[in-house]
Amino acid sequence: MHSKPLQGRTALVTGSTSGIGLGLACALAQAGARLMLNGFGDVEAAQAEVARAAGAGGEVDYHGADMSKPAEIEAMVRACEQRFGTLDILVNNAGIQHVAAVQDFPVERWDAIIAINLSSAFHATRVALPGMLTRGWGRVLNIASVHGLVASAHKSAYVAAKHGLVGLTKAVALETATRGVTVNAICPGWVLTPLVQKQVDARAAQDGVNLAEATRRLLGEKQPSLAFTTPEQLGALAVFLCSEAAGNVRGQAWGVDGGWTAQ
Ligand code: NAD
């Protein structure tokens, strides 16, 4: 197999300064793609990690768009097209979580989750898609979740946004079905990232147990493999979905969930 199957392609991964997005960016860079990173926090460390994965000759840039702001999302897509001359792979990954019963759910958190986890994918897609269609090749990967397929209590906004993201994936896949652009969702179960570490910490505090026991309980409740999915596993799937072999995989919501949704 070609060691750099995505050589010559350009990828934009939203929310790629941490966790899953960073893992996806590293995998795509390692496969030869030029990378536009996005997200908050330690940008320099993320850029250095992706540059290491890219190796000699790799190109990595960054745009600080806030994914809750449509005008900034549009500016980021345009900046990527200008910087690299093209945008071939769009990974809508940025996301946040808030856990509360629906009657206690802060309205501001609901609005932020819908904006960042769902509407941002619509905005990035609507701006990036025309260029992909004109060039005749493109990949849109929406990082949804098992919560795009099934629900958990106290995650109403997240579940609503992720179900919406799976719906958006299917609709746009149909709109592009005869073209060289494919649109798919990836639906991970538990992945140990900062987003989930907060939930492990909360579980330990709530149950009065240590972190190892809280982790065991968290996985045991939902994920039959009792093992976290890794960003590396998700990265390998993303590279496959960007390959020519996956050229007729369209509108799928692909679980990587240790058996969660098989139950
Ligand atoms: P994370 O907290 O490690 O990373 C989130 C990323 O999004 C960071 O880079 C952060 O800076 C960025 N981000 C947050 N708000 C932003 C904003 N307004 N504008 C731009 N960037 C912003 O979380 P993660 O676990 O890596 O989650 C990444 C995606 O994977 C999310 O969409 C999440 O819902 C999804 N997911 C995570 C898991 C899991 O178990 N960790 C499971 C299924 C799906």
Side-chain angles (χ1 to χ4, degrees):
M1 207 203 272
H2 197 309
S3 69
K4 300 257 181 201
L6 300 181
Q7 193 97 54
R9 305 290 189 200
T10 296
L12 165 61
V13 184
T14 71
S16 44
T17 49
S18 166
I20 293 171
L22 181 55
L24 295 172
C26 285
L28 294 171
Q30 201 168 18
R34 297 177 288 248
L35 254 299
M36 180 65 90
L37 305 180
N38 159 259
F40 305 144
D42 195 343
V43 173
E44 276 180 24
Q47 239 173 318
E49 195 170 329
V50 179
R52 261 197 310 280
E59 289 179 76
V60 184
D61 209 336
Y62 167 82
H63 195 285
D66 180 336
M67 297 304 289
S68 66
K69 305 219 162 86
E72 294 188 22
I73 297 169
E74 179 157 1
M76 175 176 62
V77 171
R78 298 281 173 241
C80 183
E81 289 171 335
Q82 267 192 338
R83 162 75 170 79
F84 295 115
T86 180
L87 169 50
D88 309 302
I89 300 164
L90 169 64
V91 184
N92 291 308
N93 167 79
I96 58 171
Q97 175 64 288
H98 187 82
V99 181
V102 70
Q103 65 272 28
D104 302 325
F105 217 91
V107 170
E108 165 277 320
R109 285 290 86 196
W110 172 280
D111 289 344
I113 288 175
I114 298 300
I116 296 166
N117 296 19
L118 175 58
S119 301
S120 72
F122 158 68
H123 292 297
T125 303
R126 74 179 169 79
V127 181
L129 195 57
M132 292 180 184
L133 292 172
T134 301
R135 290 184 294 272
W137 196 94
R139 296 287 186 264
V140 179
L141 300 181
N142 293 324
I143 308 307
S145 165
V146 284
H147 288 116
L149 303 169
V150 296
S152 294
H154 300 155
K155 294 187 176 175
S156 55
Y158 189 85
V159 169
K162 295 299 188 179
H163 274 67
L165 189 55
V166 170
L168 175 70
T169 302
K170 292 178 184 176
V172 183
L174 292 181
E175 292 175 26
T176 54
T178 61
R179 314 293 290 273
V181 178
T182 70
V183 185
N184 289 288
I186 294 177
C187 297
W190 290 121
V191 184
L192 190 57
T193 66
L195 182 143
V196 163
Q197 188 62 52
K198 279 190 215 151
Q199 295 173 65
V200 175
D201 295 347
R203 184 66 188 258
Q206 179 200 304
D207 294 2
V209 296
N210 65 25
L211 289 180
E213 178 57 18
T215 301
R216 205 192 57 72
R217 290 184 186 188
L218 204 81
L219 287 170
E221 239 167 45
K222 301 272 186 183
Q223 195 145 307
S225 66
L226 302 179
F228 285 109
T229 295
T230 66
E232 290 73 21
Q233 290 167 336
L234 298 173
L237 175 58
V239 170
F240 168 69
L241 289 172
C242 291
S243 72
E244 299 317 308
N248 211 24
V249 179
R250 296 175 184 273
Q252 293 303 301
W254 194 316
V256 192
D257 63 8
W260 183 324
T261 54
Q263 296 171 99

